[in-house]
Structures are given as structure tokens and as C-alpha cells.
Amino acid sequence: MALFTREDRVIVINNKPEYIQRILDYDYIIRREPSVVAIVHNEDTLEKLFYGSKEILVPVYRDIHRALAQHRPTVAINLSSYRSVVKTTEPLLRDPNIRVIVIVAEGVPERDMKSLIKIANQNHKTIVGPATFGAITVGALRAGVVGGDYDNILKSRLYSPGSIGIVTRSGGLLNEMFRIVSRNSDGVLEGVAVGGDVFPGSTILDHVLRMNNDPEIRAIVMVSEIGGKEEYEIARLIREGKIRKPIISWVVGVSAELFPWRVQFGHAAAKANSEMEGAREKLRILKQAGSIVPESFGDLERVIREVSDRLELKPREAPYNPLPMDFRKAVSQGLVRRPTSIVSSISKEVDGEISYRGKRVSDILSEGGDIVDVIGYLWFGKQLSPRFRNFLSMCIVLLADHGPHVSGAHNAIVAARAGKDLVSSLASGILTIGPRFGGAIDDAMRYFYDAVSRGISAQEFVEEMKSKGINIPGIGHRVKSKYNPDRRVQLLIEFARRELSSRKYLEFALEVERETLKKSEKLILNVDGAIAAIMLDILDQEGYNIEEMLGLGYGNAIFVLARSVGIIGHILDQKRLKQPLYRHPDDDVYLI
Ligand code: ACO
Ligand code: LMR
């Protein structure tokens, strides 16, 4: 009776996606349905995994009993740590559908294993492990990671069922035997690593007997280790003809006898406490009983080849699905390429420290830099001139806030009083910035630049805009006027007259104001317009490519950055004042 079939359904205890993916990869390679039908872990969710190049969702259950009832798995792979192996394995042993349970954990206490083995025997279940890589029935199911990675699966032809059954303690040795057997016979049909603990859930003898009774298996390869005495039982069964098939045996640890003291090999069970448990004595008894014992481990190839030839085992080549390579691996090997999705030039980590256009933040700080220098690097890609730095710093101070009345602050206040969090309330305020409120700087830059470039007069410009029915960006204010001037604008003009030798854009803007004031005292050069004009003058005098910068948002960015400070202030103020929900008063709404 084969250990596994193509119809087996697997439940995995403890969600380790990479491990589970390797099981599904084998399913795909041998062209069987995905074997893993449920995972048990901390919460009910779905785990996205690959079946070939297609993504599948494997249900994850918090409750193992629900998973068992829902999917009726026949094989379980327990990835729990040794601490919870008993708690998680017991339900599996008592489940009516589960046949085989692979326990991967190392260090499972012997008393725990003894109790689990007792329950397993009572319920006629097979435990493989603990401390195992698992087991495989080639072409049916890989319950674990035996056989190694995809390359090794191909090299060992573990996609094409052969006639050899292999039993080892060690997973590493099992992988080695896969390669040897595949090179010297028609291939592997089954491989089991029983694990290296003193009390394995199933022993090498158990699997040798099972393979002996499996008509599909023509010969058995057994690689045990020093320690324990089950080889004597195997020898007896061979002598009594109860193991009839050719069985090739090797016992790892022959070298242990070269030491004058008892050597503990890698596995807990791998220690010969007497000469009987030594490799040479075991090999002698097995050979004497009729097992085929090579002269050395290296002689195994020859012996396996001899047996295979005698049984006339001819390699069969079953078709398989080539496994798609993970994208990251393919990229690392230069096998695939794809255009990057994002190009970014302004900042990156260098030696674990963020740098802005190559300027390390620690250097900015050590040189006495501040947020305006950071704006220089991140927005303009360079260290700004002192004059430009001072201008931007002044703009941020002047634009930070203009009271709770203005539309941006108002909306943020209303949102805050509606109970919205800071980010949502800030967004509400920032989203109010637009062509009429705070967002006229870029348009003003574009129009002023264009008019000056064309050499038209302010009067011609005003008439042109009027004929188009466009309000001049940077002109006009709801409450400021010729007789209630905006102090911010005055301060900006004073800065320009002090710092700028040429002010052609500002002078043009002031000419425009003179024209518009003829129509209304409120059509002043507003703070957006003043910033736009002075910015143009600075960019012009410092050799920036203005044409390239117009319309990108540099102007409005200043207002957004600055006004975020004020809007956040209003939101915190409203929260601090515990202001209630705002509702507009009826007497202030004209209902049509
Ligand atoms: N250019 C030309 N004419 C204008 C301008 C302007 N910028 N602004 C208003 N007018 C005219 C209107 O066309 C209207 O003329 P009409 O009476 O012949 O119809 C008259 O002035 C009154 O217009 P309103 O829009 O009612 O005036 P309001 O005071 O509401 O406008 C506003 C204020 C929105 C700022 C307006 O001046 C405007 O749109 N300006 C351009 C955008 C701008 O610069 N916004 C930034 C303001 S500052 C800041 O937000 C920090
Ligand atoms: C501001 O800076 O927010 C104000 O000048 C705009 C306004 O509407 O008063």
C-alpha cells in the first residue's frame, strides 16, 4: 500500500507559506490538483499561494476541528513547534479521515512522542517524524520538502514514478539517495525520512515492511544509522522470508568505530551504546541474513545498478509541468526584465541614511540647515541662494494662516467638529485650495510671465483677460482692498525692493493692479499675485528655466505647505476646545 495517493488532501498545521508553496509546487510539477486544502493558524483568513503561475487561495482556520470537518483531509503536515506538537497532533490522530501525519518539529520530548505513538496505534494512523523532512510517493504527493528544490526534483526524476522504495532516518541522506537511485534504476517510487529522534512515530522497519507489501515497489534501499537495534529485526524477517524483495542496506556511522569513545552523530538516536548498535555489526548481520550490503557508502551506486539490471528496471519518463520561476529569482538571475514603474530622483537611502539629492540629512543639520534647505533639495534639486531661502521662509510665515474665516480653515474646522480625524480634517481644508483661494499662484505666474514675455502693457493685459472673461489670478480679495491693504503683500514688496535689483514681473503686476483698481478698490494685487511676481523675478535672476517650471505647481506648493501649518493648528484648536458638531444657522441660508 503506497503511503500517499493523488487523491490525498493535505491539512497543514501552522502557516508557513514558503514551506506550503513547495508542496503545491510538487503538485503542479506532477500535474495533480493542489493537495493543500486547509491551513490551521491564528485567525480565519485566506493564504494566497501559487499553483504553477496561477494564484490560489487556501483557507486558513483558527479552529482545527472546523478545518477537518470542512475539508476532510487525509494527510496532515504539522509544522508546529515542539511545544505544541501534542496539542495540535492529537485531534489529527482522532480524525476519521486522516491516515498519515508528518511531524516536522525537532526536540519533541520523548514522553510526548510515546503518548502520540500510543494514540496513533490505537487509531491505526501513521506518524512520520518528528524531526523529519517528510515523505514522498512519486507522482502522487510530497508531504514535506524531501527531494529539495525544483532543480533537485528534476535531477532525481522525482516527477516520474519508478520501482524503488527508500527509507532513511535523515532527510539529507534521503535526498542523496534520490539522486543515486535515479541514476542507477528506473527511479524512486517512495521515499521516507523517519527522522532522527529516539522515538520516531514510525520506524524504518515499519516502512520496510509496508514497502515489502507494496506490489509497485520492486526493491528497497534502507539507510539507517548507528544506535538502536531494529536492523536485527529486519535481518530476522529477511531470514524468515517475510521480507522477500531485494533490500539494499547501509548503516551510517562506520567511521564512529574509529574513535576510542562513543560518538554521538547528528541525530538523537545516532549513538551506539554497545557494539551491537555499531554500524559494522549491523551491516554484518544484515548481510548474513541476505540483505545486499555494499562494501562502502560509495559502493551503493554499483550495487543499486546491479539490482536494477537484475530486475530489468527500465526508466520511464512521465510528463511533468515545468515549474515557473519566482519573479524575484528570475530578476536576480537576469532572466527577465521589466521596466520599473516609478522613476524618482529626489531622495534615497545611502549607507542607511536618507539623503536629499545626494545631501545627507546629517550634513544638512550639521551645517545648520532647516526645512527651507530641505525644500531646496527636494523641490528645486539644489542648495538655494540665501535670497531665495529667505523669500521662501518669508512666504511660509506669511501664508501659514489667515484666521478661521477663510474657506480652507473653515472646512477643516467643520470637519474636525464633525469628529473627523486630523488627517481627514486637514485634507478637507487642503482640498479647498484652488483658483480662487490660495491656489492662484501658479496661474498668476503663468499669466504674468506670458504677458511680460509678449511685451504687452498692463492695460492691454487687463483688457485681454476681461475680453476672455477670466478673473486675473493674483488680483482681488474678498476683504482686503486699497483702503484695507494686505500687510503680507506690503512686506513682500518691501522684501523685493530690498533684495531684488530687477523686478520686472513685480512692477508689471503692480501696473496691473493700478489698472484693476480703476474698476474696484478690492482688485488689489493679493498675496498670491505678489508671491507669483516676486518668484518669477528670483527665478529669472538666478538662471532657472522658468518655461520648464511653469505649471508644475511650484507656486501653489508654497501655499499648500504653509497653510497646512495653520489648518492643523485650527484642527487641534477645535479638538482642544471640544467644539460640537457645526451646523449652518437657518437664518444664514437662503432657500430658493
Ligand atoms: N480680475 C479681474 N476682475 C476681477 C477679479 C480679477 N482677479 N476678481 C474680481 N473681479 C471682478 C469680477 O469680474 C466682478 O466684476 P463684475 O462686477 O463686472 O461682474 C467684480 O470684480 C467682483 O467679483 P467677485 O468675484 O464678486 O469678487 P470677490 O471679492 O468675490 O472675488 C476673488 C475675490 C475670488 C479673490 C477674486 O478677486 C478672484 O477670483 N481673484 C482671482 C483669483 C485669486 O487671485 N485668488 C487669490 C486670492 S488671495 C488668497 O486666496 C490668499
Ligand atoms: C488667505 O490667506 O487665506 C486669505 O487672504 C484668503 C481669504 O479668503 O481671505
Side-chain angles (χ1 to χ4, degrees), residues 2 4-8 26-27 30 32-33 35 136-142 158 161:
F4 304 120
T5 73
R6 287 178 72 87
E7 288 67 41
D8 274 322
Y26 186 73
D27 295 338
I30 62 171
R32 66 153 284 169
E33 283 303 302
S35 60
I136 187 172
T137 298
V138 176
L141 175 70
R142 173 167 77 160
L158 289 178

Side-chain angles (χ1 to χ4, degrees), residues 408-422:
H410 173 82
N411 286 344
I413 288 169
V414 170
R417 289 178 61 171
K420 296 294 282 183
D421 61 282
L422 181 124

Side-chain angles (χ1 to χ4, degrees), residues 47-82:
E47 184 65 41
K48 190 156 61 77
L49 294 159
F50 280 111
Y51 178 71
S53 57
K54 183 165 69 77
E55 287 188 306
I56 60 174
L57 294 174
V58 180
V60 182
Y61 293 84
R62 183 183 171 79
D63 177 356
I64 189 170
H65 300 288
R66 271 188 59 224
L68 291 170
Q70 190 75 26
H71 298 278
R72 299 179 21 261
T74 55
V75 172
I77 299 174
N78 193 339
L79 302 179
S80 306
S81 73
Y82 70 88

Side-chain angles (χ1 to χ4, degrees), residues 352-481:
E353 178 180 357
I354 192 69
S355 65
Y356 304 143
R357 298 275 182 154
K359 186 78 176 178
R360 294 150 56 103
V361 288
S362 54
D363 292 338
I364 293 174
L365 293 171
S366 62
E367 293 162 15
D370 62 15
I371 185 63
V372 179
D373 296 289
V374 172
I375 292 172
Y377 289 116
L378 294 183
W379 290 13
F380 296 89
K382 61 191 294 190
Q383 170 80 45
L384 297 177
S385 70
R387 173 177 56 191
F388 202 168
R389 282 188 85 271
N390 294 340
F391 171 68
L392 287 177
S393 181
M394 185 180 186
C395 289
I396 293 168
V397 169
L398 294 176
L399 291 177
D401 193 47
H402 202 211
H405 314 79
V406 305
S407 45
H410 173 82
N411 286 344
I413 288 169
V414 170
R417 289 178 61 171
K420 296 294 282 183
D421 61 282
L422 181 124
V423 174
S424 305
S425 304
L426 173 59
S428 166
I430 292 295
L431 289 172
T432 313
I433 296 169
R436 295 182 179 174
F437 162 69
I441 302 176
D442 283 323
D443 287 343
M445 287 177 75
R446 228 158 16 86
Y447 279 110
F448 292 164
Y449 178 80
D450 175 61
V452 171
S453 302
R454 285 188 290 140
I456 63 174
S457 70
Q459 186 181 359
E460 289 165 333
F461 171 68
V462 170
E463 284 163 9
E464 191 177 271
M465 294 296 276
K466 184 171 176 54
S467 68
K468 290 177 186 172
I470 299 173
N471 278 356
I472 302 167
I475 293 291
H477 198 279
R478 178 48 67 84
V479 294
K480 293 298 179 184
S481 69

Side-chain angles (χ1 to χ4, degrees), residues 225-237:
E225 297 171 359
I226 60 172
K229 298 175 183 170
E230 67 181 326
E231 292 82 351
Y232 293 88
E233 179 61 10
I234 292 172
R236 180 180 66 78
L237 293 170

Side-chain angles (χ1 to χ4, degrees), residues 6 16 20 35-36 40 47 64 91 132 168 184 242 259-260 331 346 372 500 531 561:
R6 287 178 72 87
K16 295 191 174 180
I20 298 169
S35 60
V36 180
V40 176
E47 184 65 41
I64 189 170
T132 178
T168 67
N184 294 286
K242 290 175 182 162
F259 297 91
V331 169
I346 67 168
V372 179
L500 295 175
I531 287 172
L561 174 70

